[in-house]
Each structure stands twice: as structure tokens, then as C-alpha cells.
Amino acid sequence: MGPIWFLVLYLLLATPPSVLAELHQETELSHKQPAVRLEIHHARGHGSSSFNATHPLSLSDLLSRDEERVMALQSRLVVSKDAGGTTSASSSKEDPAGQKSINIPLKAGLSIGSGNYLLKIGLGTPAKYYTLLLDTGSSFSWLQCQPCSVYCHNQVDPLFDPSQSKTYKKITCGTSQCSLLTEATLNKPFCSASSNTCIYTASYGDSSYSIGYLSQDLLTLAPSQTLPLFFYGCGQDNQGLFGRTDGIVGLARDKLSLLGQLSSKYGYAFSYCLPEAFTASTGVGFLSLGESSLAASPPYKFTPMLTDSKNPSLYFLRLAAITVAGVPLRVGAVQYRVSTIIDSGTVITRLPTAVYTALQQAFVSIMSKRYAQAPAFSILDTCFKGSLKSLSSVPQIQFIFQGGADLTLKPSNILIEADKGIACLAFAGSSQIAIIGNHQQQTFRVAYDVTRSRIGFAAGGCH
């Protein structure tokens, strides 16, 4: 997820003079980059973007975007001898006894062009609510803001207008929050010489990005649960694979993430249940913030939360074994020892090549005796003729993690309907990293106990 500084040149060419007075400091880096041909969109305000879907997202598009996200995550990590990290405890304080958790509904985002999950949060005084993507793979939260000086894509809600909030404030350059942007966005902040305003650049490996002002306002998570000083990005140039959402909520391990900013009040922990996204009965899940969110019935089974020094904000764990129909895959333990991330924003689980090959072979050996195989679909190379309903005898797949925690996958977690009458194994191989994607997490409760450095799994659905 490297900086894409040439986008600053885009800013300079597309931004009206009044806004350049705020952003002109960024020119110092743009002229050092090789010449590139840019398509310039002189678009002020709320417009449509060629990057963004205005209709429900197709599986082909979703898988293509998923591959780009995986490449972005992979680019942030360098495989080393100690890949996968070591157990690392947070220095955050324990949650006060009896502290209640904050519960926020989650919905699948396919209908508005995203394979990720959506939540609503309130911002400003008076509070107005916005539809944002939940992302455990990034730290910084931002949303599109008026006047959208350069570009804003179409979104489902009216644009946030800072002038209508009595508590809105831009953050100046010398503040500690401005300096924290380097870790939160993996890009250094810029400073407007004319207004001393801190400017962020949130760039993603799939060429998506948001650039704007670091800001502060009242955050409303529930009518009686607010955060008076919430730091976030007020995006003035936002383009990429965000669908028609209003922005992103970052939940990675970082001081500027939503989790980090709430930790002193609610504790350094959260849990969620992601509802099924590809069924007609798509329901509502939840995001629960706070130490008491770790309680579940049945209780969670925990595995150590690991840290990779190459990117300590991401959530790592150790996959120890996989079984198909109760039989362990015939691969050595060393084959599992790669950096393994659990991520809400990646859809299809990626496994080390040798592990995936063994899984695919074991799965096909059982399924092919019952069902006819079908051609590959995009990155999904193991497909069968039939729908999820008609493919009723699917061998159980179980993930077993370090310490004994496990995920026992249902057919809806194992297969994905790729086309009418075609269902495919919802896994893919990866040469360098592994990712536990959101399709395999759906309907399970997943807990992130950062204070105690552990990740938990529990069955029970999104009740």
C-alpha cells in the first residue's frame, strides 16, 4: 500500500484556486515523480465516478476487487523467517467494571456496490447519520465532505456538510493527531501554509484513495453513547472501489482508529457477526464495541492474536490445521506457517498454495462422486453444477487455530454461487500470505480482544 504521490498532481490540476490555497503544499512531492498521463475530471461536488458501482455488485467484479485488495495487503508485508509474528499484548487499560458495549447493526453492501459490510454512525451537532464501510484492515476513518473541492463519488446519503455542524473543527499541523497520520494512513501528512491545516492522504493498493482535511467532531454511535472529540478525515478528493458508501470506518490496531479512540472509555475490544451476503434471506449482523462484547453464548474459543512487525496494525493469527470431512489435510505443519490475517474486507479466503491444493483435492474427491463439475469462474477454480440448495451433501471443512479455537464451516461458508446453477469452492491459493476472508466468517461471532491479545470464534449466528 505505497503512497501514490502522483495523485497530488491530480489535485493541483483539478482543484479550484480557493482550495489550492489550502492544499498547495503537496506540490513539493508531485514534481519529483515520473511524468504520467492523467485523465482529469474537473468535477466539483457530488458526482458520479467511473470507479464506483451504481448497481448491485456482480460476483465477477467482486472477485476482481477482492484480488486487488489481497495484492494491497500482500504489498504491506514482507515474508520473513518469523512471518506470522509473535504474541503481542496491548498496553491499553482494562475496561472499567460493568461497562456496557455499544451495539451497531451491520448489513451486507452488495446492493450498493461493495463486497464489504456497512454500518451507520452519526457525526456532527446536530448528528446526521452516514453509511460507512467496516474495515479491520485499515486504521483511518473518513467520509466524503462538502464542498468536495476536487471529486466525490455518488453515495447513498447526503454529503456531510461541516458548516452545518456546531462542533466541527479542522486540525492544525502541529498537533499530535496530525503526526499520528503517518502510522494510521501509511502516508506522511501535509500542512497547508496558508491555514495551518493538517491534510491526510489515505491511499490503498488498488488505486483507491481519499485526500482531505484531518478533522474533529462529535461522534454518535447510539443516542446516549457519544465521543465528543472524534478525529477523522473530511474527504475532498475520493475515488476508488468504495461503491456508493459515504466512506470508511477503520478498526485496525492504531491510536487514530475508531477502536483506538474509544479504548479509554470502552476498552480495547470489539466483536462482530457478519450476516450472509449471497442468500435471498440476507439478514442483519452487528458490531459490538467494548469489553463486555466478549461475552457470548456459546462462549468464544480463543486463539492468540499475533503481530507482524511489518504492519503491526493488522490482525494476525496462526492457522494450525484444516480438516475436510473430519480428515486433516496431508500437508506438513510448516506449510501453514505464513503470515495469516483475519480481515473483514477480503471476501474469499486465501490459503498457502500447498494447503489450498490439498484442500481442493480432498474436497473434489468427495464432491465429484456426487455432483458434476463445472468450468472455473474467475479466481474460483473448483466449481460444480447445482445451487447451494441442491448441493446438499457438502463435506464439512474445519479451520483449527493455534490453541484449539476452530471454525466449523457450513455449506454457505464453503461454497459461493458463481452463476445460475453453478456453485464454487470459496477459497483461492496465495503464494505469500494467507487471509481468513469474510465469506468464511459469515454468521459466526468473531471477537477481537486486543487487551489480552486474542481472537475468539463462537457459533450462534447474528441474533
Side-chain angles (χ1 to χ4, degrees):
M1 189 198 264
I4 43 178
W5 303 117
F6 65 85
L7 293 173
V8 175
L9 179 58
Y10 171 95
L11 271 173
L12 296 173
L13 294 174
T15 308
S18 61
V19 178
L20 289 178
E22 298 282 335
L23 302 177
H24 77 277
Q25 286 283 325
E26 292 154 298
T27 58
E28 295 183 62
L29 282 173
S30 66
H31 77 276
K32 298 179 182 179
Q33 301 301 315
V36 292
R37 181 181 178 184
L38 300 177
E39 180 182 357
I40 305 303
H41 300 269
H42 188 83
R44 294 193 62 174
H46 185 195
S48 106
S49 167
S50 60
F51 284 92
N52 286 276
T54 56
H55 302 288
L57 187 65
S58 71
L59 183 61
S60 293
D61 287 340
L62 183 151
L63 293 174
S64 176
R65 296 180 184 189
D66 210 42
E67 277 291 273
E68 291 176 335
R69 180 179 179 89
V70 170
M71 294 298 291
L73 288 170
Q74 187 168 286
S75 71
R76 292 161 63 178
L77 300 166
V78 177
V79 178
S80 58
K81 291 182 180 180
D82 63 342
T86 56
T87 309
S88 175
S90 168
S91 59
S92 297
K93 296 180 180 180
E94 294 276 340
D95 188 44
Q99 175 62 58
K100 294 181 179 180
S101 59
I102 306 168
N103 295 295
I104 305 171
L106 287 180
K107 292 184 178 181
L110 290 176
S111 64
I112 60 171
S114 174
N116 299 339
Y117 287 84
L118 312 174
L119 70 159
K120 285 247 183 186
I121 63 168
L123 196 63
T125 306
K128 295 183 179 180
Y129 285 80
Y130 300 91
T131 304
L132 306 177
L133 291 174
L134 170 73
D135 189 10
T136 61
S138 65
S139 299
F140 190 61
S141 301
W142 60 268
L143 80 168
Q144 300 192 121
C145 287
Q146 289 190 14
C148 278
S149 304
V150 181
Y151 202 90
C152 282
H153 59 258
N154 278 335
Q155 64 177 50
V156 293
D157 303 303
L159 286 163
F160 176 66
D161 185 353
S163 68
Q164 299 301 307
S165 173
K166 298 177 183 178
T167 46
Y168 175 82
K169 180 182 177 182
K170 288 181 181 178
I171 302 303
T172 56
C173 301
T175 60
S176 60
Q177 290 80 19
C178 187
S179 64
L180 288 173
L181 281 172
T182 301
E183 289 187 6
T185 67
L186 305 183
N187 292 311
K188 291 182 179 180
F190 294 96
C191 184
S192 165
S194 60
S195 64
N196 193 31
T197 300
C198 184
I199 299 169
Y200 75 88
T201 302
S203 58
Y204 305 91
D206 59 7
S207 297
S208 302
Y209 66 92
S210 174
I211 301 173
Y213 306 118
L214 180 61
S215 303
Q216 169 191 304
D217 212 332
L218 175 70
L219 174 70
T220 300
L221 297 168
S224 61
Q225 294 168 315
T226 61
L227 181 65
L229 304 180
F230 177 59
F231 299 95
Y232 66 98
C234 187
Q236 298 297 302
D237 185 14
N238 321 281
Q239 295 200 50
L241 305 179
F242 308 121
R244 291 186 293 122
T245 61
D246 306 345
I248 288 178
V249 169
L251 271 178
R253 291 181 278 181
D254 185 87
K255 292 180 180 179
L256 275 189
S257 75
L258 177 64
L259 176 66
Q261 293 190 57
L262 290 172
S263 62
S264 62
K265 185 176 181 181
Y266 295 102
Y268 220 150
F270 67 96
S271 66
Y272 58 63
C273 183
L274 308 178
E276 290 186 350
F278 297 94
T279 61
S281 59
T282 296
V284 177
F286 66 83
L287 168 67
S288 185
L289 296 155
E291 287 280 336
S292 60
S293 71
L294 302 176
S297 181
Y300 288 107
K301 294 180 181 179
F302 287 97
T303 185
M305 178 186 294
L306 307 179
T307 298
D308 191 309
S309 60
K310 308 302 183 298
N311 203 308
S313 67
L314 298 176
Y315 296 101
F316 294 86
L317 37 59
R318 175 79 68 207
L319 183 60
I322 298 177
T323 65
V324 177
V327 179
L329 298 182
R330 294 182 177 180
V331 294
V334 68
Q335 302 294 343
Y336 290 100
R337 294 186 67 84
V338 300
S339 292
T340 302
I341 307 163
I342 182 168
D343 181 35
S344 70
T346 300
V347 180
I348 303 298
T349 286
R350 300 324 197 267
L351 297 172
T353 302
V355 175
Y356 173 71
T357 298
L359 171 67
Q360 189 262 358
Q361 291 174 349
F363 190 76
V364 168
S365 69
I366 297 173
M367 287 288 286
S368 61
K369 296 175 183 177
R370 304 168 182 170
Y371 308 105
Q373 288 191 252
F377 185 93
S378 182
I379 64 170
L380 306 178
D381 61 10
T382 304
C383 301
F384 299 88
K385 294 180 180 179
S387 65
L388 277 177
K389 289 185 178 180
S390 65
L391 299 174
S392 56
S393 299
V394 178
Q396 188 181 84
I397 294 177
Q398 185 179 52
F399 291 169
I400 302 171
F401 298 97
Q402 179 183 357
D406 65 82
L407 275 178
T408 301
L409 304 180
K410 301 179 297 183
S412 59
N413 299 113
I414 296 169
L415 297 172
I416 190 169
E417 292 200 3
D419 208 345
K420 188 175 182 180
I422 301 294
C424 300
L425 184 64
F427 296 81
S430 172
S431 60
Q432 298 187 51
I433 63 172
I435 304 174
I436 308 301
N438 66 39
H439 190 71
Q440 281 64 44
Q441 298 177 54
Q442 288 173 12
T443 75
F444 292 97
R445 294 170 181 254
V446 183
Y448 295 74
D449 185 356
V450 181
T451 300
R452 300 170 186 84
S453 296
R454 58 183 187 166
I455 296 171
F457 301 98
C462 303
H463 301 304

